[in-house]
Structure formats: structure tokens, C-alpha cells
Amino acid sequence: MALTQSITVEALPDLLKHDTKVKLAGVDVDGMLRGKLVSKKKFLSIAKEGFGFCSVIFGWDMHDRTYDKELKISNKENGYRDLIAVPDLNSFRRIPWEDNVPFFLVSFFDDDSKPLCADPRGLIKATVEKLEKKGCNAMAGAELEFFQFKLPSSSSSTTDSPAPSVASYLNDNPPHTLPPLTEGMFGYSITRPTLNKSYYHEVYDSCAKFKCDLEGWHTESGPGVYEAALEFGQISEMADRASLFKYVVRSVASGYGITPCFMAKPRHGLPGNSGHTHVSVVDKDGKNLFFREEKDENAKYPDIAHLSDLGRHFLAGILDGLPDVMPMLAPTINSYKRLVENFWAPVTVSWGLEHRAASVRLIAPPTSKPGATRFEVRVPGADANPYFVMAAILALGWRGVEKKLEIPIPPLGKGQDVGGSADKGARLARSLREATDKFMSKDSIAREVFGDDFVDHFGGSRENEIRLWDEAVTDWELKRYIETV
């Protein structure tokens, strides 16, 4: 999937001549890496045709609890069958914090060699192929915000690190007592990172060594909050790097007793963790196809005077389909605690030129250079699976291009609030239940662009998440009702 290297099976013995083992990982629907360490001999024997990988990673949730309502891919009836996992040789990296052990991502296939419908890497690949058939490709950028907590000293440790265990701490303490890495609201501070400078610079340097290069790395507004802007690149490769970035941060942080937290809303009363995603379409020569060569003096809206017809249709497609793919952008119960009014998060189907409160921010001349024309979709949180986010944006946009859809609502002007009288867009889902019902409905645009098999599987996994939430007894309920009812 990567465009920057081309590795063949024949080249592997020389590439790995000084190695004895290889680490492999695939991605599940929650965006979690699932993998194993294998011997070099084993890897070389399966590098071309793949190997069996238990399908249960598509039959259980993020805590390895099988879905109560079993889904088609993996279940008791099919014996939690094996899938075929095929290494993507062009995803080769070395893990700098593990003595440079070789690392490859895998993609999952059914036993008939068809791409698995729920494989995140397969989904973005299939979506990109629609553009490639028309001589196009897509570029993307990802910005991930996350809280960080540093546990008090503890006797709990592992053999490789003196860092205390988060799980052990939370067994004995409520989550709100987790101390942040730093206190206070210090967005874009150039002094706050010096308080943890070894960690701060090791993350940046490890990203570079692991081919997850960062364009920007800074504090965000919130106690212990950082933001990383990943280096702009081809969209499939960007999805890989956005996923692997979390792996880098968590691996480096563990050595410092720091716990990164990518959930959408870790703290009440504070802004949440965004996963803003930038997308553009290019031709085979890399030319940006969203830019209009000559300004349209008669554009319906001044905001789109420099946006090409293809770009306008792409925008229309995103706006038209956004409510139908919300679980792909906001996949957890907690996601919808971030998507509330007055916290720098979009809550309606909305757009505008350089409008940072809208769901879709158009970045185009005269406020950007022509080659940088793109859309920033501001709905996703850092908790979302980046493969699903980018596949959803690209699939909706390309549907708009194919159907030549027209922009359905006017832009928000400067100073106009999301949800105000000038906002003509529909309110986005307020809960995962509402979002999943829309996603799985018979006439959902998600079904149109991704097919029934994917929607039924991922939607079923979200229904499982909702059921677990329905059964949970929260601290809020205990505090409110324990003495009063």
C-alpha cells in the first residue's frame, strides 16, 4: 500500500540477513493492532501466500470479549475459523524501541482469497481503487490529540520497565484521580514540553525512525494534552501511519510511566481529543484536482470561487452522506460526549471556508496556496479507526463526484455558530445508538458505498458496544441515586 518503496519476496533474505525474528500485525475494527512475533524462517515461508490467523479478532471486542450476538465472520458455528493474513511487504519498518526488529503489517482475506469485508486495510484499499480506475488517487493528513497521564510511584512494575501499571492503579482508584502529565491549559507552549523533554523528543525521533514522520508536535489546550500532525501523504499510507502512531506513543510512553489516552472525551468540562482528517484528490502526476485554475466570479457561494467542479461534487458527497457513516467517525459511547456544543466540536452537517467550527473546513485560495486545496473533516475523534475515517470520507466524496451531487446547504460565514440560525444543516447523531441505527438502516448511504457485509459486521460490533453500555452501572448513577431514591 505504501508508495515510497517496493519490496519483493525475492529481496527478503538479503533485507533480513542479520535478523532472527519478525513482528507482524493486522488491524481490527476498533483500530487495534493484533499480531505476533514469528521466526525469520516462518516469515520467509509465508511472505508470499500468507498464513492462518484466528478470525476471533473480528469476533470479539476491544477487551477480547466475544460478541453476544455472533457475527458472520467469526463465531462458534464456524469454529472461529482461520483467516489468511498476507504480509504487505511495502509496509516494512524496524521497531527502534525493540532493538530494530523488522515489522510488517498484514491484510486479511477469506479462505477464497477475497479481501475480508471488515479488514480496515482492505476497506481503504478498495476505496482507493475506485479512484485509480479513473486515473486519480487521494492524499491525506491526520491530526491526533491525546491526553497523557503519569501515575504516582508504585511497586507495580514489569521486568522491562519500572513504570507502574495503569490497570493495577485503576483497580484501586477511580479514573478521575489519574494525575495529568502536566497541569493547566497551555496550548502551543514551547516551555511545557521541557518538563518531560526526554519523552517528548523520543516520541518525535521514534516516529521518524518508524516511518511515521511528524510535521508538527506540540502541546494542546488541556492538562497533559499533546497534538501530533502526521506528515501529509497518500491516503492508504496515511491510514497506516495514523494507526502506527498510537503504537509508537504507547510504546515510548510506557518506559516513562506515562499513559497516553486517545478516547474522545477523557475529562468532563474540557475539550475532547480530535482526529481531524485532511483529504484531497490528485491525478496520476500528483496535481491537486480540487483547485480551480481560474477564479469563478459567478460561484453560487464566494467560499467555492477557487474550488473545482470535482471538488464541489466531492464536498457535496461528504455533506450528503455524513449522517449515515457516523459510527465510522465516532465509534464509541464516549465519542458523543465530545460532539457537543461549545467545545470546538462540530455537531451539524456544516461547512465553510476556513471555518473551524464546521464539520468540513474548506482550505483553499485565497487563504492557502493552490496545491494545498483540501477538505479538513473535523468530526472524527482520536478514538476512531483511521482506516475507517479515511475510507468513509473518500467513499462519500467520490460518490458525490460520480453522481455529480450539488452542495446541499450554504456555508457558515465567519462568526456564524454551528447550530445557530444560519446553520441549515441537520444535527448529527447525539449517541452511538442513534448513529448506528442510521448506519444500518436499509437505505443507508453506508450500505451503498461499502456493501451490506461490512455494514452488518461493523454495525453489529457497535450494537454490542451499546448493549454493554446499557448494562453498565456508572459512578454518576451511584453518586446521584445511592442515598436519594
Side-chain angles (χ1 to χ4, degrees):
M1 293 174 73
L3 300 183
T4 54
Q5 59 184 345
S6 181
I7 296 174
T8 64
V9 171
E10 292 73 21
L12 289 174
D14 187 60
L15 183 70
L16 306 176
K17 62 184 177 182
H18 299 301
D19 299 295
T20 60
K21 55 198 172 186
V22 176
K23 182 170 279 192
L24 304 171
V27 187
D28 68 14
V29 297
D30 290 301
M32 295 175 62
L33 292 169
R34 304 280 190 170
K36 61 176 74 175
L37 193 71
V38 301
S39 68
K40 181 172 73 172
K41 180 180 179 180
K42 172 69 174 179
F43 176 73
L44 292 176
S45 73
I46 56 87
K48 183 176 181 179
E49 297 182 357
F51 62 102
F53 201 116
C54 184
S55 66
V56 74
I57 66 169
F58 291 97
W60 64 21
D61 66 12
M62 60 184 70
H63 286 279
D64 296 5
R65 178 174 173 177
T66 55
Y67 302 135
D68 277 8
K69 179 184 176 182
E70 292 197 310
L71 303 175
K72 182 179 178 181
I73 292 175
S74 185
N75 51 59
K76 291 178 183 177
E77 186 175 342
N78 66 26
Y80 301 102
R81 65 194 174 99
D82 268 3
L83 303 170
I84 304 300
V86 179
D88 179 353
L89 302 185
N90 292 334
S91 70
F92 169 68
R93 293 160 164 81
R94 290 186 178 275
I95 307 175
W97 56 90
E98 288 189 33
D99 301 320
N100 285 321
V101 65
F103 176 90
F104 295 85
L105 287 164
V106 304
S107 295
F108 295 106
F109 295 81
D110 272 316
D111 51 16
D112 57 2
S113 298
K114 291 181 179 179
L116 187 73
C117 68
D119 176 28
R121 298 189 83 238
L123 193 73
I124 187 68
K125 183 176 184 292
T127 306
V128 170
E129 286 173 350
K130 295 178 182 178
L131 278 72
E132 291 177 334
K133 290 176 181 178
K134 300 295 183 180
C136 300
N137 211 311
M139 306 294 286
E143 302 169 1
L144 296 173
E145 300 168 351
F146 56 102
F147 278 64
Q148 293 159 107
F149 302 100
K150 188 171 177 66
L151 298 183
S153 297
S154 165
S155 59
S156 174
S157 64
T158 67
T159 57
D160 292 326
S161 169
S165 163
V166 178
S168 296
Y169 180 86
L170 292 179
N171 277 337
D172 302 320
N173 302 275
H176 71 265
T177 63
L178 277 172
L181 181 62
T182 54
E183 296 288 350
M185 310 286 278
F186 289 96
Y188 298 99
S189 171
I190 63 170
T191 57
R192 278 280 159 169
T194 63
L195 299 175
N196 299 279
K197 62 182 180 182
S198 296
Y199 164 67
Y200 183 74
H201 288 286
E202 186 175 341
V203 169
Y204 184 91
D205 294 340
S206 295
C207 283
K209 294 174 183 176
F210 198 54
K211 299 182 182 178
C212 287
D213 298 80
L214 303 182
E215 287 186 350
W217 178 225
H218 62 88
T219 61
E220 245 308 346
S221 187
V225 181
Y226 283 178
E227 177 178 358
L230 276 69
E231 188 174 284
F232 191 66
Q234 193 271 345
I235 195 167
S236 300
E237 191 177 67
M238 176 55 63
D240 282 343
R241 288 194 277 125
S243 177
L244 293 175
F245 171 74
K246 293 183 180 181
Y247 176 44
V248 175
V249 174
R250 288 175 173 138
S251 298
V252 173
S254 65
Y256 292 88
I258 295 170
T259 301
C261 175
F262 291 89
M263 66 185 289
K265 186 83 166 185
R267 296 288 202 208
H268 172 74
L270 292 172
N273 288 326
S274 299
H276 299 156
T277 302
H278 298 246
V279 174
S280 61
V281 173
V282 297
D283 66 14
K284 59 182 176 59
D285 298 318
K287 179 183 178 182
N288 189 309
L289 296 179
F290 285 170
F291 171 63
R292 180 176 289 273
E293 296 289 349
E294 295 185 12
K295 181 180 179 181
D296 183 358
E297 300 291 351
N298 299 310
K300 185 175 182 179
Y301 308 115
D303 294 47
I304 58 173
H306 293 280
L307 185 64
S308 68
D309 288 349
L310 184 145
R312 295 174 185 182
H313 296 317
F314 195 96
L315 172 60
I318 296 175
L319 297 173
D320 186 50
L322 187 58
D324 290 35
V325 299
M326 281 298 291
M328 299 177 74
L329 311 185
T332 72
I333 295 294
N334 181 257
S335 300
Y336 298 84
K337 304 295 177 71
R338 168 181 162 264
L339 298 175
V340 295
E341 288 80 357
N342 303 319
F343 275 104
W344 289 84
V347 296
T348 64
V349 177
S350 50
W351 70 282
L353 179 66
E354 289 294 356
H355 205 301
R356 279 184 161 84
S359 292
V360 183
R361 171 190 170 212
L362 169 60
I363 302 169
T367 56
S368 81
K369 61 183 181 181
T373 302
R374 63 194 187 274
F375 298 112
E376 179 191 28
V377 182
R378 297 177 61 82
V379 176
D383 59 337
N385 183 330
Y387 297 93
F388 289 170
V389 169
M390 294 181 196
I393 295 169
L394 191 58
L396 293 182
W398 198 246
R399 173 178 175 270
V401 172
E402 291 183 325
K403 291 180 174 290
K404 297 189 183 301
L405 298 181
E406 296 297 325
I407 298 171
I409 51 174
L412 290 178
K414 302 298 185 291
Q416 293 179 337
D417 292 331
V418 170
S421 59
D423 188 353
K424 304 302 181 184
R427 179 58 161 86
L428 295 173
R430 288 178 167 83
S431 68
L432 182 59
R433 185 189 306 278
E434 182 183 344
T436 302
D437 287 346
K438 181 76 170 172
F439 178 73
M440 297 189 73
S441 64
K442 186 177 181 181
D443 59 351
S444 167
I445 293 173
R447 291 190 182 277
E448 179 185 336
V449 296
F450 293 122
D452 290 336
D453 286 345
F454 170 74
V455 171
D456 289 341
H457 182 89
F458 186 59
S461 74
R462 297 312 92 188
E463 289 178 330
N464 185 78
E465 197 78 3
I466 293 163
R467 186 194 60 76
L468 292 174
W469 169 247
D470 285 344
E471 294 176 358
V473 178
T474 66
D475 289 349
W476 184 90
E477 291 168 283
L478 282 172
K479 290 177 181 177
R480 188 161 184 86
Y481 303 125
I482 192 168
E483 292 183 303
T484 58
V485 296

